[in-house]
Amino acid sequence: GEALELYTHGHYTTGDIDIKSSRTETLSILKNMGFSSAGRSNMYSERLDILVDWQGESLEEGKEAEKRTLTIQLDEDDPDMQLRLVSMEDLIIDRLCAAKFWQDSDSRMWAENLKEVADSTQSVLDIEYLRKRAKVEDVEDEVSSLIGA
């Protein structure tokens, strides 16, 4: 949800943050920030009212998806202060899967919104990659409908 919130400039809001990273490092950092355990892989901050859900160390979509992540530098003076977001293409596929297989109409709307964000910011979606991922996830019809081809 947080990647969608960032890409849509806050139009989508979420109450949790999914994190892919080293479990040990993530839990250590979150504990140092005042988060407490909220289940096997979740940490919660009452002060911030945020739930962080540790989702493993890497993307299920594979190495290509890992390479396609967007890196945001959070602090110019500290090169280690970075945030990596799943690519817009992978997020679109995720939302189209939810729309098709879970009949989640909101997810279709958010996939359309992501396409509009890409168009309005002159971001170039990798249509070839979208089609490739769509074929793997069996959402080729959804992608064709979204991109108009």
Side-chain angles (χ1 to χ4, degrees):
E2 187 62 29
L4 184 57
E5 185 169 347
L6 290 169
Y7 279 124
T8 62
H9 308 276
H11 287 103
Y12 176 89
T13 57
T14 184
D16 74 329
I17 300 171
D18 298 335
I19 291 183
K20 296 275 191 173
S21 66
S22 160
R23 179 179 172 84
T24 305
E25 287 178 32
T26 300
L27 296 180
S28 174
I29 290 167
L30 291 173
K31 282 181 184 175
N32 287 338
M33 293 175 62
F35 281 74
S36 57
S37 179
R40 192 171 109 75
S41 62
N42 296 328
M43 299 288 286
Y44 179 72
S45 169
E46 190 171 330
R47 181 178 63 82
L48 300 172
D49 192 27
I50 295 175
L51 179 74
V52 174
D53 185 5
W54 179 79
Q55 301 244 325
E57 294 197 15
S58 60
L59 296 174
E60 291 86 11
E61 296 84 356
K63 291 192 184 294
E64 186 172 3
E66 293 276 352
K67 291 177 190 173
R68 299 177 61 77
T69 58
L70 172 67
T71 301
I72 299 171
Q73 189 67 41
L74 300 174
D75 183 343
E76 292 178 14
D77 297 326
D78 185 350
D80 293 330
M81 288 293 292
Q82 297 179 342
L83 174 67
R84 287 179 44 209
L85 295 178
V86 64
S87 73
M88 194 175 286
E89 293 87 352
D90 285 308
L91 191 52
I92 287 171
I93 293 297
D94 175 75
R95 296 298 141 160
L96 292 177
C97 285
K100 181 174 182 174
F101 300 117
W102 305 331
Q103 288 72 50
D104 182 357
S105 59
D106 282 353
S107 287
R108 180 173 288 105
M109 176 195 66
W110 288 113
E112 292 167 356
N113 190 276
L114 285 167
K115 169 92 169 51
E116 290 170 12
V117 167
D119 292 345
S120 70
T121 59
Q122 287 80 43
S123 299
V124 178
L125 289 176
D126 185 338
I127 301 301
E128 182 180 329
Y129 179 74
L130 262 175
R131 290 187 186 283
K132 178 179 162 183
R133 284 288 326 282
K135 186 172 186 173
V136 169
E137 300 294 339
D138 192 27
V139 290
E140 293 166 290
D141 53 336
E142 297 287 339
V143 166
S144 292
S145 176
L146 179 72
I147 63 174

PDB file of all heavy atoms in Angstrom, residues 1-14 70 72 85 88 91 110 113-123:
ATOM      1  N   GLY A   1       0.790  -1.198   0.000  1.00  0.00           N
ATOM      2  CA  GLY A   1       0.000   0.000   0.000  1.00  0.00           C
ATOM      3  C   GLY A   1       0.836   1.267   0.000  1.00  0.00           C
ATOM      4  O   GLY A   1       0.476   2.259  -0.611  1.00  0.00           O
ATOM      5  N   GLU A   2       1.970   1.256   0.697  1.00  0.00           N
ATOM      6  CA  GLU A   2       2.776   2.472   0.791  1.00  0.00           C
ATOM      7  C   GLU A   2       3.356   2.883  -0.556  1.00  0.00           C
ATOM      8  O   GLU A   2       3.412   4.075  -0.873  1.00  0.00           O
ATOM      9  CB  GLU A   2       3.901   2.309   1.818  1.00  0.00           C
ATOM     10  CG  GLU A   2       4.672   3.579   2.077  1.00  0.00           C
ATOM     11  CD  GLU A   2       3.833   4.707   2.660  1.00  0.00           C
ATOM     12  OE1 GLU A   2       2.842   4.437   3.365  1.00  0.00           O
ATOM     13  OE2 GLU A   2       4.180   5.877   2.400  1.00  0.00           O
ATOM     14  N   ALA A   3       3.769   1.921  -1.365  1.00  0.00           N
ATOM     15  CA  ALA A   3       4.293   2.264  -2.702  1.00  0.00           C
ATOM     16  C   ALA A   3       3.201   2.949  -3.523  1.00  0.00           C
ATOM     17  O   ALA A   3       3.451   3.969  -4.180  1.00  0.00           O
ATOM     18  CB  ALA A   3       4.800   1.021  -3.421  1.00  0.00           C
ATOM     19  N   LEU A   4       1.992   2.437  -3.451  1.00  0.00           N
ATOM     20  CA  LEU A   4       0.874   3.053  -4.168  1.00  0.00           C
ATOM     21  C   LEU A   4       0.609   4.459  -3.639  1.00  0.00           C
ATOM     22  O   LEU A   4       0.376   5.400  -4.406  1.00  0.00           O
ATOM     23  CB  LEU A   4      -0.379   2.179  -4.051  1.00  0.00           C
ATOM     24  CG  LEU A   4      -1.607   2.638  -4.813  1.00  0.00           C
ATOM     25  CD1 LEU A   4      -1.329   2.793  -6.298  1.00  0.00           C
ATOM     26  CD2 LEU A   4      -2.756   1.659  -4.587  1.00  0.00           C
ATOM     27  N   GLU A   5       0.693   4.624  -2.330  1.00  0.00           N
ATOM     28  CA  GLU A   5       0.494   5.943  -1.736  1.00  0.00           C
ATOM     29  C   GLU A   5       1.544   6.937  -2.244  1.00  0.00           C
ATOM     30  O   GLU A   5       1.224   8.076  -2.579  1.00  0.00           O
ATOM     31  CB  GLU A   5       0.547   5.852  -0.206  1.00  0.00           C
ATOM     32  CG  GLU A   5       0.242   7.156   0.483  1.00  0.00           C
ATOM     33  CD  GLU A   5       0.033   7.014   1.994  1.00  0.00           C
ATOM     34  OE1 GLU A   5      -0.116   5.879   2.498  1.00  0.00           O
ATOM     35  OE2 GLU A   5       0.012   8.064   2.659  1.00  0.00           O
ATOM     36  N   LEU A   6       2.788   6.501  -2.323  1.00  0.00           N
ATOM     37  CA  LEU A   6       3.855   7.389  -2.798  1.00  0.00           C
ATOM     38  C   LEU A   6       3.697   7.712  -4.280  1.00  0.00           C
ATOM     39  O   LEU A   6       3.819   8.871  -4.681  1.00  0.00           O
ATOM     40  CB  LEU A   6       5.220   6.779  -2.517  1.00  0.00           C
ATOM     41  CG  LEU A   6       5.604   6.735  -1.036  1.00  0.00           C
ATOM     42  CD1 LEU A   6       6.847   5.884  -0.825  1.00  0.00           C
ATOM     43  CD2 LEU A   6       5.805   8.126  -0.479  1.00  0.00           C
ATOM     44  N   TYR A   7       3.433   6.697  -5.098  1.00  0.00           N
ATOM     45  CA  TYR A   7       3.282   6.932  -6.540  1.00  0.00           C
ATOM     46  C   TYR A   7       2.086   7.835  -6.852  1.00  0.00           C
ATOM     47  O   TYR A   7       2.115   8.586  -7.815  1.00  0.00           O
ATOM     48  CB  TYR A   7       3.135   5.617  -7.309  1.00  0.00           C
ATOM     49  CG  TYR A   7       4.431   4.908  -7.598  1.00  0.00           C
ATOM     50  CD1 TYR A   7       4.631   3.593  -7.185  1.00  0.00           C
ATOM     51  CD2 TYR A   7       5.455   5.524  -8.318  1.00  0.00           C
ATOM     52  CE1 TYR A   7       5.809   2.921  -7.469  1.00  0.00           C
ATOM     53  CE2 TYR A   7       6.636   4.857  -8.604  1.00  0.00           C
ATOM     54  CZ  TYR A   7       6.806   3.553  -8.180  1.00  0.00           C
ATOM     55  OH  TYR A   7       7.973   2.892  -8.467  1.00  0.00           O
ATOM     56  N   THR A   8       1.027   7.742  -6.046  1.00  0.00           N
ATOM     57  CA  THR A   8      -0.175   8.552  -6.322  1.00  0.00           C
ATOM     58  C   THR A   8      -0.163   9.862  -5.540  1.00  0.00           C
ATOM     59  O   THR A   8      -1.178  10.543  -5.458  1.00  0.00           O
ATOM     60  CB  THR A   8      -1.467   7.773  -6.002  1.00  0.00           C
ATOM     61  OG1 THR A   8      -1.492   7.440  -4.612  1.00  0.00           O
ATOM     62  CG2 THR A   8      -1.583   6.516  -6.855  1.00  0.00           C
ATOM     63  N   HIS A   9       0.983  10.183  -4.962  1.00  0.00           N
ATOM     64  CA  HIS A   9       1.153  11.453  -4.240  1.00  0.00           C
ATOM     65  C   HIS A   9       0.113  11.622  -3.128  1.00  0.00           C
ATOM     66  O   HIS A   9      -0.416  12.710  -2.921  1.00  0.00           O
ATOM     67  CB  HIS A   9       1.106  12.636  -5.210  1.00  0.00           C
ATOM     68  CG  HIS A   9       2.055  12.493  -6.357  1.00  0.00           C
ATOM     69  ND1 HIS A   9       3.371  12.847  -6.267  1.00  0.00           N
ATOM     70  CD2 HIS A   9       1.884  11.994  -7.596  1.00  0.00           C
ATOM     71  CE1 HIS A   9       3.971  12.587  -7.421  1.00  0.00           C
ATOM     72  NE2 HIS A   9       3.102  12.067  -8.240  1.00  0.00           N
ATOM     73  N   GLY A  10      -0.178  10.508  -2.437  1.00  0.00           N
ATOM     74  CA  GLY A  10      -1.066  10.553  -1.288  1.00  0.00           C
ATOM     75  C   GLY A  10      -2.544  10.404  -1.592  1.00  0.00           C
ATOM     76  O   GLY A  10      -3.364  10.418  -0.674  1.00  0.00           O
ATOM     77  N   HIS A  11      -2.906  10.232  -2.857  1.00  0.00           N
ATOM     78  CA  HIS A  11      -4.328  10.038  -3.161  1.00  0.00           C
ATOM     79  C   HIS A  11      -4.836   8.715  -2.605  1.00  0.00           C
ATOM     80  O   HIS A  11      -6.001   8.582  -2.246  1.00  0.00           O
ATOM     81  CB  HIS A  11      -4.580  10.130  -4.664  1.00  0.00           C
ATOM     82  CG  HIS A  11      -4.484  11.538  -5.158  1.00  0.00           C
ATOM     83  ND1 HIS A  11      -3.394  12.010  -5.835  1.00  0.00           N
ATOM     84  CD2 HIS A  11      -5.327  12.584  -5.032  1.00  0.00           C
ATOM     85  CE1 HIS A  11      -3.571  13.285  -6.124  1.00  0.00           C
ATOM     86  NE2 HIS A  11      -4.730  13.657  -5.635  1.00  0.00           N
ATOM     87  N   TYR A  12      -3.975   7.712  -2.573  1.00  0.00           N
ATOM     88  CA  TYR A  12      -4.287   6.454  -1.911  1.00  0.00           C
ATOM     89  C   TYR A  12      -3.625   6.528  -0.538  1.00  0.00           C
ATOM     90  O   TYR A  12      -2.485   6.977  -0.421  1.00  0.00           O
ATOM     91  CB  TYR A  12      -3.710   5.278  -2.707  1.00  0.00           C
ATOM     92  CG  TYR A  12      -3.907   3.931  -2.058  1.00  0.00           C
ATOM     93  CD1 TYR A  12      -5.044   3.187  -2.309  1.00  0.00           C
ATOM     94  CD2 TYR A  12      -2.957   3.398  -1.191  1.00  0.00           C
ATOM     95  CE1 TYR A  12      -5.235   1.947  -1.724  1.00  0.00           C
ATOM     96  CE2 TYR A  12      -3.139   2.157  -0.593  1.00  0.00           C
ATOM     97  CZ  TYR A  12      -4.284   1.440  -0.873  1.00  0.00           C
ATOM     98  OH  TYR A  12      -4.470   0.213  -0.276  1.00  0.00           O
ATOM     99  N   THR A  13      -4.330   6.122   0.499  1.00  0.00           N
ATOM    100  CA  THR A  13      -3.709   6.104   1.824  1.00  0.00           C
ATOM    101  C   THR A  13      -3.761   4.693   2.393  1.00  0.00           C
ATOM    102  O   THR A  13      -4.689   3.928   2.114  1.00  0.00           O
ATOM    103  CB  THR A  13      -4.400   7.080   2.796  1.00  0.00           C
ATOM    104  OG1 THR A  13      -5.784   6.749   2.874  1.00  0.00           O
ATOM    105  CG2 THR A  13      -4.243   8.508   2.339  1.00  0.00           C
ATOM    106  N   THR A  14      -2.774   4.386   3.183  1.00  0.00           N
ATOM    107  CA  THR A  14      -2.678   3.058   3.768  1.00  0.00           C
ATOM    108  C   THR A  14      -2.328   3.181   5.241  1.00  0.00           C
ATOM    109  O   THR A  14      -1.775   4.194   5.664  1.00  0.00           O
ATOM    110  CB  THR A  14      -1.612   2.214   3.027  1.00  0.00           C
ATOM    111  OG1 THR A  14      -1.614   0.887   3.558  1.00  0.00           O
ATOM    112  CG2 THR A  14      -0.227   2.811   3.160  1.00  0.00           C
ATOM    113  N   LEU A  70      12.564   1.433  -7.911  1.00  0.00           N
ATOM    114  CA  LEU A  70      12.886   2.856  -7.942  1.00  0.00           C
ATOM    115  C   LEU A  70      13.558   3.216  -6.617  1.00  0.00           C
ATOM    116  O   LEU A  70      13.005   2.944  -5.554  1.00  0.00           O
ATOM    117  CB  LEU A  70      11.607   3.677  -8.120  1.00  0.00           C
ATOM    118  CG  LEU A  70      11.735   5.189  -7.979  1.00  0.00           C
ATOM    119  CD1 LEU A  70      12.563   5.762  -9.129  1.00  0.00           C
ATOM    120  CD2 LEU A  70      10.360   5.831  -7.957  1.00  0.00           C
ATOM    121  N   ILE A  72      14.843   6.007  -4.031  1.00  0.00           N
ATOM    122  CA  ILE A  72      14.653   7.398  -3.624  1.00  0.00           C
ATOM    123  C   ILE A  72      15.674   7.707  -2.536  1.00  0.00           C
ATOM    124  O   ILE A  72      15.739   7.006  -1.518  1.00  0.00           O
ATOM    125  CB  ILE A  72      13.226   7.622  -3.085  1.00  0.00           C
ATOM    126  CG1 ILE A  72      12.186   7.306  -4.173  1.00  0.00           C
ATOM    127  CG2 ILE A  72      13.058   9.041  -2.562  1.00  0.00           C
ATOM    128  CD1 ILE A  72      10.770   7.283  -3.663  1.00  0.00           C
ATOM    129  N   LEU A  85      11.354   1.416  -4.012  1.00  0.00           N
ATOM    130  CA  LEU A  85       9.956   1.089  -4.280  1.00  0.00           C
ATOM    131  C   LEU A  85       9.860   0.094  -5.420  1.00  0.00           C
ATOM    132  O   LEU A  85      10.610   0.184  -6.391  1.00  0.00           O
ATOM    133  CB  LEU A  85       9.175   2.347  -4.701  1.00  0.00           C
ATOM    134  CG  LEU A  85       9.010   3.461  -3.692  1.00  0.00           C
ATOM    135  CD1 LEU A  85       8.248   4.615  -4.331  1.00  0.00           C
ATOM    136  CD2 LEU A  85       8.279   2.971  -2.469  1.00  0.00           C
ATOM    137  N   MET A  88       6.620   0.859 -10.935  1.00  0.00           N
ATOM    138  CA  MET A  88       5.229   1.179 -11.227  1.00  0.00           C
ATOM    139  C   MET A  88       4.588   0.050 -12.048  1.00  0.00           C
ATOM    140  O   MET A  88       3.427  -0.305 -11.831  1.00  0.00           O
ATOM    141  CB  MET A  88       5.125   2.515 -11.971  1.00  0.00           C
ATOM    142  CG  MET A  88       3.709   3.054 -12.003  1.00  0.00           C
ATOM    143  SD  MET A  88       3.552   4.686 -12.742  1.00  0.00           S
ATOM    144  CE  MET A  88       4.231   5.719 -11.465  1.00  0.00           C
ATOM    145  N   LEU A  91       3.715  -2.801  -9.757  1.00  0.00           N
ATOM    146  CA  LEU A  91       2.575  -2.409  -8.926  1.00  0.00           C
ATOM    147  C   LEU A  91       1.281  -2.441  -9.737  1.00  0.00           C
ATOM    148  O   LEU A  91       0.240  -2.878  -9.235  1.00  0.00           O
ATOM    149  CB  LEU A  91       2.819  -1.031  -8.324  1.00  0.00           C
ATOM    150  CG  LEU A  91       1.852  -0.573  -7.238  1.00  0.00           C
ATOM    151  CD1 LEU A  91       1.715  -1.600  -6.123  1.00  0.00           C
ATOM    152  CD2 LEU A  91       2.310   0.760  -6.676  1.00  0.00           C
ATOM    153  N   TRP A 110      -7.071   1.796  -9.099  1.00  0.00           N
ATOM    154  CA  TRP A 110      -5.729   2.244  -8.740  1.00  0.00           C
ATOM    155  C   TRP A 110      -4.722   1.921  -9.833  1.00  0.00           C
ATOM    156  O   TRP A 110      -3.770   2.687 -10.048  1.00  0.00           O
ATOM    157  CB  TRP A 110      -5.319   1.712  -7.379  1.00  0.00           C
ATOM    158  CG  TRP A 110      -6.075   2.418  -6.300  1.00  0.00           C
ATOM    159  CD1 TRP A 110      -7.006   1.885  -5.461  1.00  0.00           C
ATOM    160  CD2 TRP A 110      -6.018   3.813  -6.002  1.00  0.00           C
ATOM    161  NE1 TRP A 110      -7.521   2.866  -4.652  1.00  0.00           N
ATOM    162  CE2 TRP A 110      -6.931   4.063  -4.961  1.00  0.00           C
ATOM    163  CE3 TRP A 110      -5.290   4.890  -6.504  1.00  0.00           C
ATOM    164  CZ2 TRP A 110      -7.132   5.328  -4.415  1.00  0.00           C
ATOM    165  CZ3 TRP A 110      -5.491   6.157  -5.964  1.00  0.00           C
ATOM    166  CH2 TRP A 110      -6.397   6.356  -4.929  1.00  0.00           C
ATOM    167  N   ASN A 113      -5.233   4.645 -12.163  1.00  0.00           N
ATOM    168  CA  ASN A 113      -4.660   5.859 -11.590  1.00  0.00           C
ATOM    169  C   ASN A 113      -3.143   5.885 -11.766  1.00  0.00           C
ATOM    170  O   ASN A 113      -2.568   6.929 -12.097  1.00  0.00           O
ATOM    171  CB  ASN A 113      -5.053   5.964 -10.114  1.00  0.00           C
ATOM    172  CG  ASN A 113      -4.713   7.301  -9.510  1.00  0.00           C
ATOM    173  OD1 ASN A 113      -3.587   7.515  -9.089  1.00  0.00           O
ATOM    174  ND2 ASN A 113      -5.697   8.191  -9.473  1.00  0.00           N
ATOM    175  N   LEU A 114      -2.495   4.753 -11.566  1.00  0.00           N
ATOM    176  CA  LEU A 114      -1.048   4.677 -11.773  1.00  0.00           C
ATOM    177  C   LEU A 114      -0.687   4.986 -13.222  1.00  0.00           C
ATOM    178  O   LEU A 114       0.289   5.691 -13.485  1.00  0.00           O
ATOM    179  CB  LEU A 114      -0.523   3.292 -11.390  1.00  0.00           C
ATOM    180  CG  LEU A 114      -0.427   3.003  -9.898  1.00  0.00           C
ATOM    181  CD1 LEU A 114      -0.217   1.517  -9.656  1.00  0.00           C
ATOM    182  CD2 LEU A 114       0.678   3.818  -9.260  1.00  0.00           C
ATOM    183  N   LYS A 115      -1.470   4.475 -14.150  1.00  0.00           N
ATOM    184  CA  LYS A 115      -1.232   4.771 -15.575  1.00  0.00           C
ATOM    185  C   LYS A 115      -1.380   6.269 -15.819  1.00  0.00           C
ATOM    186  O   LYS A 115      -0.570   6.876 -16.534  1.00  0.00           O
ATOM    187  CB  LYS A 115      -2.211   3.980 -16.440  1.00  0.00           C
ATOM    188  CG  LYS A 115      -2.271   4.377 -17.905  1.00  0.00           C
ATOM    189  CD  LYS A 115      -1.346   3.580 -18.740  1.00  0.00           C
ATOM    190  CE  LYS A 115      -1.543   3.742 -20.230  1.00  0.00           C
ATOM    191  NZ  LYS A 115      -1.591   5.079 -20.764  1.00  0.00           N
ATOM    192  N   GLU A 116      -2.391   6.881 -15.222  1.00  0.00           N
ATOM    193  CA  GLU A 116      -2.593   8.331 -15.368  1.00  0.00           C
ATOM    194  C   GLU A 116      -1.439   9.117 -14.751  1.00  0.00           C
ATOM    195  O   GLU A 116      -0.999  10.127 -15.323  1.00  0.00           O
ATOM    196  CB  GLU A 116      -3.919   8.746 -14.719  1.00  0.00           C
ATOM    197  CG  GLU A 116      -5.135   8.262 -15.466  1.00  0.00           C
ATOM    198  CD  GLU A 116      -6.436   8.473 -14.703  1.00  0.00           C
ATOM    199  OE1 GLU A 116      -6.432   9.211 -13.683  1.00  0.00           O
ATOM    200  OE2 GLU A 116      -7.453   7.897 -15.125  1.00  0.00           O
ATOM    201  N   VAL A 117      -0.937   8.663 -13.610  1.00  0.00           N
ATOM    202  CA  VAL A 117       0.212   9.326 -12.982  1.00  0.00           C
ATOM    203  C   VAL A 117       1.419   9.240 -13.916  1.00  0.00           C
ATOM    204  O   VAL A 117       2.115  10.231 -14.147  1.00  0.00           O
ATOM    205  CB  VAL A 117       0.544   8.709 -11.602  1.00  0.00           C
ATOM    206  CG1 VAL A 117       1.908   9.174 -11.102  1.00  0.00           C
ATOM    207  CG2 VAL A 117      -0.538   9.043 -10.592  1.00  0.00           C
ATOM    208  N   ALA A 118       1.653   8.064 -14.479  1.00  0.00           N
ATOM    209  CA  ALA A 118       2.780   7.899 -15.409  1.00  0.00           C
ATOM    210  C   ALA A 118       2.616   8.837 -16.598  1.00  0.00           C
ATOM    211  O   ALA A 118       3.558   9.531 -16.986  1.00  0.00           O
ATOM    212  CB  ALA A 118       2.866   6.452 -15.880  1.00  0.00           C
ATOM    213  N   ASP A 119       1.407   8.893 -17.160  1.00  0.00           N
ATOM    214  CA  ASP A 119       1.160   9.757 -18.316  1.00  0.00           C
ATOM    215  C   ASP A 119       1.349  11.231 -17.961  1.00  0.00           C
ATOM    216  O   ASP A 119       1.960  11.983 -18.713  1.00  0.00           O
ATOM    217  CB  ASP A 119      -0.248   9.542 -18.865  1.00  0.00           C
ATOM    218  CG  ASP A 119      -0.432   8.163 -19.504  1.00  0.00           C
ATOM    219  OD1 ASP A 119       0.574   7.485 -19.783  1.00  0.00           O
ATOM    220  OD2 ASP A 119      -1.601   7.775 -19.707  1.00  0.00           O
ATOM    221  N   SER A 120       0.853  11.642 -16.808  1.00  0.00           N
ATOM    222  CA  SER A 120       0.893  13.061 -16.449  1.00  0.00           C
ATOM    223  C   SER A 120       2.273  13.541 -16.015  1.00  0.00           C
ATOM    224  O   SER A 120       2.555  14.729 -16.041  1.00  0.00           O
ATOM    225  CB  SER A 120      -0.128  13.369 -15.348  1.00  0.00           C
ATOM    226  OG  SER A 120       0.272  12.786 -14.128  1.00  0.00           O
ATOM    227  N   THR A 121       3.135  12.613 -15.623  1.00  0.00           N
ATOM    228  CA  THR A 121       4.483  12.996 -15.197  1.00  0.00           C
ATOM    229  C   THR A 121       5.530  12.660 -16.263  1.00  0.00           C
ATOM    230  O   THR A 121       6.721  12.714 -15.996  1.00  0.00           O
ATOM    231  CB  THR A 121       4.863  12.297 -13.877  1.00  0.00           C
ATOM    232  OG1 THR A 121       4.804  10.870 -14.067  1.00  0.00           O
ATOM    233  CG2 THR A 121       3.952  12.705 -12.747  1.00  0.00           C
ATOM    234  N   GLN A 122       5.061  12.311 -17.434  1.00  0.00           N
ATOM    235  CA  GLN A 122       5.935  11.912 -18.537  1.00  0.00           C
ATOM    236  C   GLN A 122       6.832  10.732 -18.184  1.00  0.00           C
ATOM    237  O   GLN A 122       7.913  10.569 -18.746  1.00  0.00           O
ATOM    238  CB  GLN A 122       6.794  13.089 -19.063  1.00  0.00           C
ATOM    239  CG  GLN A 122       6.039  14.129 -19.862  1.00  0.00           C
ATOM    240  CD  GLN A 122       5.295  15.113 -18.979  1.00  0.00           C
ATOM    241  OE1 GLN A 122       5.827  15.584 -17.983  1.00  0.00           O
ATOM    242  NE2 GLN A 122       4.062  15.423 -19.336  1.00  0.00           N
ATOM    243  N   SER A 123       6.389   9.921 -17.238  1.00  0.00           N
ATOM    244  CA  SER A 123       7.101   8.680 -16.932  1.00  0.00           C
ATOM    245  C   SER A 123       6.752   7.681 -18.030  1.00  0.00           C
ATOM    246  O   SER A 123       5.602   7.590 -18.447  1.00  0.00           O
ATOM    247  CB  SER A 123       6.659   8.115 -15.585  1.00  0.00           C
ATOM    248  OG  SER A 123       6.934   9.011 -14.545  1.00  0.00           O
TER     249      SER A 123
END
